């Protein structure tokens, strides 16, 4: 049913958001700490943050709790998306099953 599908999709999306939260925090921190500056020759010099250095920095600043920063809003957003995706999947499934049936001709009564 659509309710079961919505519930399962909600739980799966929330679990995926929680499981990948530490990597998302590291990725976001790396994107923020990318430094762009101009060199003496006028060209842009880009310094990329390193993965393990970023992991050490997060742990040094906030400990293990730092990897779960923003987990509640991200999980809530993913769970809400799952609530929408479950019934949409069921609706698409119903449409596909209905399209497999043969098309019937209209029934007309003779005058």
């Amino acid at each position: 049913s659509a309710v079961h599908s919505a519930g399962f999709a909600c739980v799966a999306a929330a679990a995926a958001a929680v499981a990948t939260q530490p990597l998302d925090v590291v990725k976001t921190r790396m994107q923020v700490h990318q430094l762009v500056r101009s060199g003496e020759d006028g060209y842009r010099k880009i310094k990329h943050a390193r993965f393990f250095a970023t992991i050490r920095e997060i742990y040094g600043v906030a400990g293990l709790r730092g990897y779960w920063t923003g987990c509640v809003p991200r999980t809530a957003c993913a769970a809400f998306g799952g609530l929408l995706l479950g019934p949409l999947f069921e609706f698409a499934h119903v449409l596909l099953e209905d399209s497999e049936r043969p098309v019937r001709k209209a029934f007309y009564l003779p005058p």
Side-chain angles (χ1 to χ4, degrees), residues 45-96:
K45 304 239 181 212
I46 300 174
K47 181 181 177 190
H48 296 282
R50 299 290 178 213
F51 182 74
F52 291 110
T54 305
I55 288 175
R56 283 191 299 272
E57 175 193 349
I58 294 170
Y59 186 76
V61 170
L64 286 176
R65 291 185 69 178
Y67 296 112
W68 302 101
T69 302
C71 186
V72 172
R74 184 171 181 252
T75 303
C77 183
F80 181 70
L83 277 175
L84 296 177
L85 188 62
L88 285 175
F89 177 77
E90 287 290 325
F91 180 69
H93 187 68
V94 167
L95 286 179
L96 287 174

Side-chain angles (χ1 to χ4, degrees), residues 2 5 8 21 36 44 56 71-72 82 85 92 100 110:
S5 181
F8 289 135
Q21 180 65 24
V36 179
R44 292 189 326 162
R56 283 191 299 272
C71 186
V72 172
L85 188 62
E100 293 173 359

Side-chain angles (χ1 to χ4, degrees), residues 105-111:
K105 294 182 180 179
F107 179 71
Y108 292 108
L109 291 174

Side-chain angles (χ1 to χ4, degrees), residues 2-4 13 20 23 28 39 55 60 82-84 86 92 95 110:
V3 175
H4 286 120
T20 59
L23 291 175
T28 304
I55 288 175
L83 277 175
L84 296 177
L95 286 179

